[in-house]
Amino acid sequence: MQEKAYKLLAFQERISHKKAKDMIDKGCVFSQGRKIILARTLMDKKSKFEVLQIKKAHILFEDNRILAINKPYNCISEDLEKLYKAKLLHRLDKQTSGVLVLCKDDAIRKKCIEEFREQRVFKSYIAVLDGVLAEQITINEPLLTMKIKGGAYTKVSKQGLQALSIITPLMVIGKKTLAKVVIQTGRTHQIRVHTAFIKHGIIGDEKYAKISARRMYLHSYEIRFLEYSFKAHLDETFSQMGFEIKNLDFKGI
């Protein structure tokens, strides 16, 4: 006998169907080590679920104009906008963790948006890539983003906008590479598409790299603009991939 995943989860956790759907949509539900992607997936009625708890965001910095937080993965950027009652300056994908900046007043937000528009913002990310990347690589491939059902889809296209990513390997374990990615443009899903384009997709990126994992291993590490500079160090999930991040020197990153 089979039943829809969200109904089985609701029964197991004694929660509402709506709550069960939301947990699955946020990528928090696993069965036999595999993430449940669709709430309406038909599953055996005897299926057991593992539910990951979403961590709380941690405030990195706050003044009367700017709020910088360390966003957990599986957390939606817009939810944090509502929680902190401040407007997002930029967004991170649900599965991406790290530095997220919100603005408390419209004047500073307009000023910051202009910095982004003129590409005067420094942004670096840390990612776990599939395969061995032996040396730094610069990817200068235009990206075209299309609206599709359920979100957006980006691809490399001559009809797209300029997109530049610089990828530097930091550590290699087995057939996985911990890498720093500096983006000089901020296109939708830029890092995910560029890394997949060079056949070194991000571990856990099911959309572009087609690689399943407990999370997507992409982390917004540092952002600098105007007189502000923020960093958010990696969490323990990167250590679970085998990387000794505590011993890694991030000073030069």
Side-chain angles (χ1 to χ4, degrees):
M1 296 288 290
Q2 290 186 317
E3 182 57 274
K4 292 174 182 176
Y6 75 91
K7 291 185 178 181
L8 294 174
L9 178 65
F11 178 77
Q12 175 182 301
E13 297 294 315
R14 298 181 181 180
I15 57 177
S16 68
H17 286 175
K18 184 177 183 299
K19 178 67 174 178
K21 285 181 180 179
D22 184 58
M23 292 170 71
I24 292 173
D25 289 343
K26 288 182 176 178
C28 300
V29 182
F30 295 78
S31 181
Q32 296 182 330
R34 296 177 66 94
K35 186 188 298 180
I36 307 301
I37 304 300
L38 297 175
R40 295 181 178 274
T41 299
L42 290 175
M43 301 183 66
D44 190 287
K45 282 192 173 183
K46 296 181 180 179
S47 298
K48 298 296 181 183
F49 298 97
E50 177 191 358
V51 180
L52 298 182
Q53 296 301 315
I54 298 177
K55 294 183 178 181
K56 292 184 179 180
H58 171 67
I59 294 177
L60 300 170
F61 173 85
E62 184 174 11
D63 64 12
N64 61 350
R65 303 191 303 169
I66 293 288
L67 174 67
I69 62 176
N70 187 355
K71 172 191 166 303
Y73 72 95
N74 282 341
C75 182
I76 298 172
S77 295
E78 285 77 7
D79 288 349
L80 295 173
E81 186 176 53
K82 296 174 184 176
L83 176 64
Y84 290 104
K85 296 180 175 59
K87 291 185 178 180
L88 291 167
L89 177 57
H90 61 116
R91 286 169 174 78
L92 296 177
D93 293 337
K94 177 175 64 179
Q95 286 288 317
T96 302
S97 57
V99 181
L100 182 69
V101 181
L102 301 93
C103 296
K104 292 184 174 183
D105 69 61
D106 289 336
I108 188 62
R109 188 168 184 267
K110 288 178 181 178
K111 189 174 182 180
C112 292
I113 288 173
E114 182 63 20
E115 295 297 297
F116 273 82
R117 184 180 294 116
E118 296 300 320
Q119 298 181 18
R120 293 193 291 259
V121 178
F122 175 86
K123 291 170 286 185
S124 74
Y125 290 72
I126 304 295
V128 179
L129 306 181
D130 183 41
V132 176
L133 185 66
E135 57 186 8
Q136 185 181 93
I137 182 171
T138 298
I139 307 170
N140 190 1
E141 296 288 343
L143 298 177
L144 178 66
T145 299
M146 300 159 288
K147 291 184 178 180
I148 61 172
K149 185 178 180 180
Y153 185 83
T154 300
K155 66 178 182 179
V156 172
S157 171
K158 292 180 180 179
Q159 284 72 50
L161 299 172
Q162 180 198 14
L164 183 66
S165 303
I166 303 170
I167 305 175
T168 305
L170 302 174
M171 187 183 301
V172 175
I173 292 181
K175 293 183 179 180
K176 301 186 294 291
T177 302
L178 185 72
K180 174 185 72 171
V181 186
V182 174
I183 56 174
Q184 295 187 4
T185 50
R187 310 305 178 199
T188 301
H189 300 165
Q190 176 174 326
I191 297 174
R192 298 168 64 183
V193 177
H194 271 174
T195 53
F197 178 76
I198 62 169
K199 310 301 181 185
H200 289 292
I202 297 170
I203 300 295
D205 183 0
E206 296 166 344
K207 189 170 190 174
Y208 297 106
K210 310 299 182 186
I211 301 173
S212 296
R214 294 182 72 82
R215 65 161 290 186
M216 182 172 71
Y217 285 87
L218 180 62
H219 179 84
S220 172
Y221 178 69
E222 182 179 11
I223 185 168
R224 299 197 302 260
F225 59 94
L226 300 176
E227 71 270 27
Y228 294 102
S229 178
F230 310 117
K231 287 184 179 180
H233 290 287
L234 303 179
D235 65 23
E236 73 282 354
T237 59
F238 281 79
S239 293
Q240 292 168 5
M241 292 295 288
F243 296 103
E244 294 294 332
I245 59 173
K246 289 184 179 179
N247 297 326
L248 190 63
D249 180 10
F250 283 98
K251 292 180 181 179
I253 294 177

